[in-house]
PDB file of all heavy atoms in Angstrom:
ATOM      1  N   MET B 212      24.192  17.074  16.439  1.00  0.00           N
ATOM      2  CA  MET B 212      25.296  16.494  15.667  1.00  0.00           C
ATOM      3  C   MET B 212      25.432  17.209  14.338  1.00  0.00           C
ATOM      4  O   MET B 212      26.526  17.529  13.896  1.00  0.00           O
ATOM      5  CB  MET B 212      25.044  15.007  15.431  1.00  0.00           C
ATOM      6  CG  MET B 212      25.426  14.149  16.608  1.00  0.00           C
ATOM      7  SD  MET B 212      25.452  12.431  16.111  1.00  0.00           S
ATOM      8  CE  MET B 212      24.064  11.822  16.988  1.00  0.00           C
ATOM      9  N   SER B 213      24.272  17.462  13.684  1.00  0.00           N
ATOM     10  CA  SER B 213      24.358  18.080  12.370  1.00  0.00           C
ATOM     11  C   SER B 213      24.892  19.506  12.469  1.00  0.00           C
ATOM     12  O   SER B 213      25.577  19.971  11.572  1.00  0.00           O
ATOM     13  CB  SER B 213      22.981  18.074  11.702  1.00  0.00           C
ATOM     14  OG  SER B 213      22.161  19.056  12.281  1.00  0.00           O
ATOM     15  N   SER B 214      24.612  20.189  13.584  1.00  0.00           N
ATOM     16  CA  SER B 214      25.042  21.578  13.629  1.00  0.00           C
ATOM     17  C   SER B 214      26.397  21.762  14.298  1.00  0.00           C
ATOM     18  O   SER B 214      27.131  22.669  13.972  1.00  0.00           O
ATOM     19  CB  SER B 214      23.985  22.437  14.329  1.00  0.00           C
ATOM     20  OG  SER B 214      24.173  22.409  15.714  1.00  0.00           O
ATOM     21  N   VAL B 215      26.734  20.890  15.261  1.00  0.00           N
ATOM     22  CA  VAL B 215      27.979  21.090  16.008  1.00  0.00           C
ATOM     23  C   VAL B 215      29.076  20.127  15.562  1.00  0.00           C
ATOM     24  O   VAL B 215      30.179  20.526  15.210  1.00  0.00           O
ATOM     25  CB  VAL B 215      27.734  20.930  17.523  1.00  0.00           C
ATOM     26  CG1 VAL B 215      29.016  21.210  18.281  1.00  0.00           C
ATOM     27  CG2 VAL B 215      26.629  21.867  17.976  1.00  0.00           C
ATOM     28  N   MET B 216      28.739  18.810  15.548  1.00  0.00           N
ATOM     29  CA  MET B 216      29.786  17.826  15.273  1.00  0.00           C
ATOM     30  C   MET B 216      30.137  17.725  13.800  1.00  0.00           C
ATOM     31  O   MET B 216      31.297  17.689  13.426  1.00  0.00           O
ATOM     32  CB  MET B 216      29.337  16.450  15.765  1.00  0.00           C
ATOM     33  CG  MET B 216      29.686  16.194  17.206  1.00  0.00           C
ATOM     34  SD  MET B 216      28.867  14.697  17.765  1.00  0.00           S
ATOM     35  CE  MET B 216      29.431  13.500  16.566  1.00  0.00           C
ATOM     36  N   PHE B 217      29.097  17.704  12.972  1.00  0.00           N
ATOM     37  CA  PHE B 217      29.310  17.444  11.557  1.00  0.00           C
ATOM     38  C   PHE B 217      30.317  18.394  10.906  1.00  0.00           C
ATOM     39  O   PHE B 217      31.201  17.951  10.179  1.00  0.00           O
ATOM     40  CB  PHE B 217      27.963  17.477  10.833  1.00  0.00           C
ATOM     41  CG  PHE B 217      28.031  17.198   9.377  1.00  0.00           C
ATOM     42  CD1 PHE B 217      28.423  15.939   8.917  1.00  0.00           C
ATOM     43  CD2 PHE B 217      27.735  18.185   8.445  1.00  0.00           C
ATOM     44  CE1 PHE B 217      28.487  15.677   7.559  1.00  0.00           C
ATOM     45  CE2 PHE B 217      27.805  17.925   7.093  1.00  0.00           C
ATOM     46  CZ  PHE B 217      28.183  16.672   6.649  1.00  0.00           C
ATOM     47  N   PRO B 218      30.241  19.726  11.188  1.00  0.00           N
ATOM     48  CA  PRO B 218      31.202  20.638  10.555  1.00  0.00           C
ATOM     49  C   PRO B 218      32.639  20.309  10.912  1.00  0.00           C
ATOM     50  O   PRO B 218      33.561  20.612  10.142  1.00  0.00           O
ATOM     51  CB  PRO B 218      30.803  22.008  11.115  1.00  0.00           C
ATOM     52  CG  PRO B 218      29.379  21.860  11.483  1.00  0.00           C
ATOM     53  CD  PRO B 218      29.222  20.450  11.945  1.00  0.00           C
ATOM     54  N   LEU B 219      32.874  19.677  12.061  1.00  0.00           N
ATOM     55  CA  LEU B 219      34.247  19.349  12.453  1.00  0.00           C
ATOM     56  C   LEU B 219      34.881  18.342  11.515  1.00  0.00           C
ATOM     57  O   LEU B 219      36.093  18.291  11.352  1.00  0.00           O
ATOM     58  CB  LEU B 219      34.256  18.784  13.883  1.00  0.00           C
ATOM     59  CG  LEU B 219      33.745  19.718  14.981  1.00  0.00           C
ATOM     60  CD1 LEU B 219      33.797  19.016  16.333  1.00  0.00           C
ATOM     61  CD2 LEU B 219      34.573  20.991  15.021  1.00  0.00           C
ATOM     62  N   PHE B 220      34.029  17.504  10.894  1.00  0.00           N
ATOM     63  CA  PHE B 220      34.576  16.477  10.013  1.00  0.00           C
ATOM     64  C   PHE B 220      34.825  16.993   8.605  1.00  0.00           C
ATOM     65  O   PHE B 220      35.396  16.296   7.777  1.00  0.00           O
ATOM     66  CB  PHE B 220      33.626  15.276   9.950  1.00  0.00           C
ATOM     67  CG  PHE B 220      33.447  14.600  11.267  1.00  0.00           C
ATOM     68  CD1 PHE B 220      32.247  14.657  11.951  1.00  0.00           C
ATOM     69  CD2 PHE B 220      34.513  13.906  11.842  1.00  0.00           C
ATOM     70  CE1 PHE B 220      32.099  14.045  13.173  1.00  0.00           C
ATOM     71  CE2 PHE B 220      34.360  13.281  13.063  1.00  0.00           C
ATOM     72  CZ  PHE B 220      33.148  13.351  13.738  1.00  0.00           C
ATOM     73  N   LEU B 221      34.352  18.197   8.328  1.00  0.00           N
ATOM     74  CA  LEU B 221      34.520  18.722   6.974  1.00  0.00           C
ATOM     75  C   LEU B 221      35.906  19.331   6.839  1.00  0.00           C
ATOM     76  O   LEU B 221      36.461  19.857   7.796  1.00  0.00           O
ATOM     77  CB  LEU B 221      33.461  19.793   6.684  1.00  0.00           C
ATOM     78  CG  LEU B 221      32.035  19.282   6.544  1.00  0.00           C
ATOM     79  CD1 LEU B 221      31.085  20.451   6.304  1.00  0.00           C
ATOM     80  CD2 LEU B 221      31.920  18.288   5.401  1.00  0.00           C
ATOM     81  N   PRO B 222      36.494  19.247   5.631  1.00  0.00           N
ATOM     82  CA  PRO B 222      37.781  19.908   5.415  1.00  0.00           C
ATOM     83  C   PRO B 222      37.640  21.419   5.613  1.00  0.00           C
ATOM     84  O   PRO B 222      36.542  21.968   5.479  1.00  0.00           O
ATOM     85  CB  PRO B 222      38.126  19.573   3.961  1.00  0.00           C
ATOM     86  CG  PRO B 222      36.899  19.001   3.360  1.00  0.00           C
ATOM     87  CD  PRO B 222      36.014  18.529   4.444  1.00  0.00           C
ATOM     88  N   GLU B 223      38.724  22.042   5.922  1.00  0.00           N
ATOM     89  CA  GLU B 223      38.667  23.471   6.202  1.00  0.00           C
ATOM     90  C   GLU B 223      38.169  24.245   4.979  1.00  0.00           C
ATOM     91  O   GLU B 223      38.485  23.907   3.846  1.00  0.00           O
ATOM     92  CB  GLU B 223      40.053  23.975   6.601  1.00  0.00           C
ATOM     93  CG  GLU B 223      39.975  24.962   7.747  1.00  0.00           C
ATOM     94  CD  GLU B 223      41.358  25.189   8.355  1.00  0.00           C
ATOM     95  OE1 GLU B 223      42.095  24.203   8.559  1.00  0.00           O
ATOM     96  OE2 GLU B 223      41.680  26.348   8.611  1.00  0.00           O
ATOM     97  N   GLY B 224      37.387  25.249   5.241  1.00  0.00           N
ATOM     98  CA  GLY B 224      36.896  26.071   4.137  1.00  0.00           C
ATOM     99  C   GLY B 224      35.600  25.569   3.542  1.00  0.00           C
ATOM    100  O   GLY B 224      34.897  26.302   2.868  1.00  0.00           O
ATOM    101  N   VAL B 225      35.300  24.292   3.802  1.00  0.00           N
ATOM    102  CA  VAL B 225      34.041  23.761   3.268  1.00  0.00           C
ATOM    103  C   VAL B 225      32.943  23.953   4.304  1.00  0.00           C
ATOM    104  O   VAL B 225      33.089  23.541   5.447  1.00  0.00           O
ATOM    105  CB  VAL B 225      34.175  22.256   2.949  1.00  0.00           C
ATOM    106  CG1 VAL B 225      32.840  21.701   2.466  1.00  0.00           C
ATOM    107  CG2 VAL B 225      35.255  22.029   1.914  1.00  0.00           C
ATOM    108  N   THR B 226      31.885  24.615   3.926  1.00  0.00           N
ATOM    109  CA  THR B 226      30.765  24.712   4.852  1.00  0.00           C
ATOM    110  C   THR B 226      29.515  24.222   4.143  1.00  0.00           C
ATOM    111  O   THR B 226      29.369  24.392   2.937  1.00  0.00           O
ATOM    112  CB  THR B 226      30.505  26.158   5.309  1.00  0.00           C
ATOM    113  OG1 THR B 226      30.368  26.962   4.142  1.00  0.00           O
ATOM    114  CG2 THR B 226      31.618  26.668   6.175  1.00  0.00           C
ATOM    115  N   ILE B 227      28.675  23.594   4.896  1.00  0.00           N
ATOM    116  CA  ILE B 227      27.390  23.183   4.343  1.00  0.00           C
ATOM    117  C   ILE B 227      26.320  23.965   5.068  1.00  0.00           C
ATOM    118  O   ILE B 227      26.357  24.121   6.292  1.00  0.00           O
ATOM    119  CB  ILE B 227      27.185  21.664   4.486  1.00  0.00           C
ATOM    120  CG1 ILE B 227      28.186  20.948   3.592  1.00  0.00           C
ATOM    121  CG2 ILE B 227      25.764  21.277   4.077  1.00  0.00           C
ATOM    122  CD1 ILE B 227      28.098  19.459   3.632  1.00  0.00           C
ATOM    123  N   ASP B 228      25.408  24.479   4.279  1.00  0.00           N
ATOM    124  CA  ASP B 228      24.348  25.328   4.781  1.00  0.00           C
ATOM    125  C   ASP B 228      23.668  24.747   6.024  1.00  0.00           C
ATOM    126  O   ASP B 228      23.346  23.564   6.074  1.00  0.00           O
ATOM    127  CB  ASP B 228      23.332  25.505   3.659  1.00  0.00           C
ATOM    128  CG  ASP B 228      22.316  26.526   4.016  1.00  0.00           C
ATOM    129  OD1 ASP B 228      21.319  26.159   4.687  1.00  0.00           O
ATOM    130  OD2 ASP B 228      22.519  27.692   3.642  1.00  0.00           O
ATOM    131  N   LYS B 229      23.449  25.607   7.014  1.00  0.00           N
ATOM    132  CA  LYS B 229      22.915  25.140   8.291  1.00  0.00           C
ATOM    133  C   LYS B 229      21.469  24.628   8.157  1.00  0.00           C
ATOM    134  O   LYS B 229      21.099  23.606   8.740  1.00  0.00           O
ATOM    135  CB  LYS B 229      22.957  26.300   9.281  1.00  0.00           C
ATOM    136  CG  LYS B 229      22.750  25.894  10.707  1.00  0.00           C
ATOM    137  CD  LYS B 229      23.144  27.067  11.583  1.00  0.00           C
ATOM    138  CE  LYS B 229      22.671  26.901  12.998  1.00  0.00           C
ATOM    139  NZ  LYS B 229      22.977  28.114  13.783  1.00  0.00           N
TER     140      LYS B 229
END
Side-chain angles (χ1 to χ4, degrees):
Chain B
M212 279 193 249
S213 75
S214 85
V215 183
M216 272 170 55
F217 181 66
L219 299 179
F220 297 111
L221 290 178
E223 221 166 316
V225 177
T226 53
I227 293 180
D228 189 275
K229 194 167 166 185

